[in-house]
Amino acid sequence: KQQLVAGYEAKQLQAKLNFERQQGLFEKGVQTEKEIEKLQKDLDVARAELESVKLEVTSAKEEWEAKKHERIQKLREAQTKVDYAATIQKEKREIEIKLAELDRLTVYAPRDGTLFRLNIFERGQMLKEGDELFTIVPDTSERAV
């Protein structure tokens, strides 16, 4: 569109020069008023076309800038999503490691049964190996006293 501006500027200049030349001839009585009016109309059309093309160029430039800003915004959004996904992956790995540690720390009872009594411990209390954590009533069909 920018190249069109130069063409329309040349067209407007030519129409202006034609009008001015014929206006001078009209003042000398050589040219008719009707021809001057036609040339004035041609000049007005050329000016309007030039302004229209200039507005189109300005509009295209503004649209281009808007698209550039939109592209930058989309890139930022995509980067944010990539960063978020990386953070989630890191958190997932950390949780998987903790789960693996917990699986390793699972303690199995020496026999099948039902929990009868669960000892109460204070938060942060340290336990030693062999401390009783709970009491199990064994699953058995034999009676015992």
Side-chain angles (χ1 to χ4, degrees):
K1 295 269 181 191
Q2 187 68 38
Q3 293 88 2
L4 290 175
V5 172
Y8 281 98
E9 285 175 342
K11 182 178 178 181
Q12 188 233 348
L13 178 63
Q14 184 62 46
K16 181 181 176 191
L17 293 174
N18 283 343
F19 174 77
E20 290 172 352
R21 186 173 47 247
Q22 297 301 322
Q23 180 73 28
L25 292 175
F26 173 73
E27 290 170 2
K28 291 180 183 176
V30 178
Q31 194 55 270
T32 66
E33 186 176 348
K34 186 174 182 179
E35 185 64 28
I36 297 301
E37 289 172 358
K38 179 186 172 293
L39 291 171
Q40 178 65 50
K41 183 186 79 107
D42 290 346
L43 178 58
D44 293 342
V45 167
R47 284 180 181 152
E49 287 174 342
L50 177 60
E51 286 305 312
S52 175
V53 170
K54 284 182 178 180
L55 287 174
E56 285 180 27
V57 168
T58 302
S59 175
K61 284 180 181 178
E62 288 171 357
E63 185 177 347
W64 172 257
E65 287 299 316
K67 292 290 183 185
K68 279 182 10 183
H69 290 296
E70 183 180 337
R71 180 178 173 268
I72 290 168
Q73 183 64 29
K74 296 252 185 224
L75 285 172
R76 286 181 183 153
E77 288 174 9
Q79 187 60 48
T80 299
K81 289 178 181 179
V82 167
D83 293 345
Y84 179 71
T87 302
I88 294 297
Q89 286 288 63
K90 181 182 175 191
E91 289 175 5
K92 180 182 172 196
R93 270 187 252 112
E94 289 172 359
I95 290 171
E96 287 171 347
I97 290 168
K98 287 178 183 178
L99 283 173
E101 289 173 6
L102 288 175
D103 285 343
R104 187 177 54 81
L105 297 175
T106 301
V107 177
Y108 294 95
R111 63 187 64 83
D112 290 337
T114 304
L115 283 177
F116 175 68
R117 185 176 352 170
L118 186 61
N119 294 338
I120 299 173
F121 298 99
E122 292 188 27
R123 187 178 200 101
Q125 180 179 346
M126 297 295 289
L127 299 174
K128 297 183 295 264
E129 187 175 334
D131 284 350
E132 187 175 291
L133 301 176
F134 43 82
T135 303
I136 299 175
V137 175
D139 284 342
T140 180
S141 57
E142 297 178 20
R143 296 190 178 250
V145 177

